[in-house]
Amino acid sequence: MDISIVVPLLNESESLAELTERVAKEINDLNKSFEIVFIDDGSTDGSLDILRKLKKQYPQIRVISFSRNFGKSAALSEGFRIARGEIVITMDADLQDDPTEIPKLIHEIESGFDLVSGWKQERHDPINKTIPSKFFNFITRQLTGIKIHDFNCGLKAYRSRVIKAIPVYGELHRYLPVLAHWLGYKVGELVVKHHPRKFGYSKFGIKRFFNGFFDLLTVLFITRYRQKPLHLFGFMGLGSSFLGGIILLYLSILWFQGHGIGQRPLFFLGVLLMIVGVQFFSIGLIGEMLINTRDNSVEYTIKDKID
Ligand code: UDP
Ligand code: MG
């Protein structure tokens, strides 16, 4: 199988027929074999029935239907798990992503990239979404060092080995380029067309920005310290204890010289820093113990084999 199109959807019944038709047309023109994997993430608007009907007309369709809404990451994760194509393309179901970009994405992958992320340079979304998103992309770019503009674009193409190597859970789908880059894959970017939402409504509210921030912390942590939490917590613990130690040493000298130190704010600061330091250390050690007790086989990924 050449191409898998993976489409997560939540209540997008009005778009599905048009989306399928346009996607099928684009790939048929390329003369490639393909499948469209729809992951129905707990829709309640009859999306599943529509997919069932579409399947009769388009045998390339496969559908997974979740028992309830589990979120876009879960949907993508299941789609990635069952996708059979050499190249896997994700797109939103709401027709905001343009199917005519599919051939261009395929071309980019074929020219050597492992992941190509869409960039909605000209974006048709409400301002309460575009401005936070700009900010967000900026922060992510700075903290991860990856020079792409639109981390959260739904339209992305992957070489199949990339998605098979990355576990997607929580809401980490926003950071797939970061995770792929960290594993050493070649990540690129392509400017794509973006349309306003025609039917239905956006499924993500303002909450996404808080969650997105927490997820960024998670990604930074797991990409850098997943296998060595003590390197981070030990460092913070040592720093804090060291500072506390100096303060207490200084106060001890004063005490021996006959000064009272029990009421000084500095005394409490010193004690606090010592305690916090020990706690950081302990967290790091517990982290190391967790790593030791679980299966570590996913520490590396393999790019190619010559047998
Ligand atoms: N989606 C999903 N599960 C969810 C939320 C969204 O499968 O819990 C799908 C949704 O149907 C759409 C895609 O994810 O196909 C992107 O969602 P949406 O268009 O609402 O996000 P936005 O374009 O506003 O960022
Ligand atoms: Mg959308």
Side-chain angles (χ1 to χ4, degrees), residues 80 85-88 109 113-116 157-168 176-177 179-181 183-187 301-303:
F80 288 163
E86 296 285 317
I87 297 177
V88 177
I109 294 284
F113 286 100
D114 293 306
L115 186 165
V116 179
Y158 309 81
R159 221 176 271 277
S160 126
R161 63 183 180 225
V162 177
I163 49 147
K164 302 286 182 196
I166 303 177
V168 201
L176 281 163
L179 296 165
H181 172 82
L183 290 175
Y185 291 115
K186 197 171 165 199
V187 175
T301 49
I302 292 162
K303 183 170 177 178

Side-chain angles (χ1 to χ4, degrees), residues 248-261 264 266:
L248 293 182
L249 190 70
Y250 164 71
L251 290 176
S252 302
I253 295 171
L254 289 186
W255 187 75
F256 277 117
Q257 291 173 343
H259 301 278
I261 56 168
R264 293 190 55 167
L266 197 59

Side-chain angles (χ1 to χ4, degrees), residues 92 94 96 197:
D92 290 352
D94 54 7
Q96 289 196 267
R197 209 180 225 286

Side-chain angles (χ1 to χ4, degrees), residues 12 92 94 96-97 125 129 194-195 197 201-203:
E12 309 282 6
D92 290 352
D94 54 7
Q96 289 196 267
D97 298 330
D125 273 325
K129 216 150 110 189
H194 185 242
H195 303 287
R197 209 180 225 286
Y201 55 92
S202 171
K203 308 301 183 307

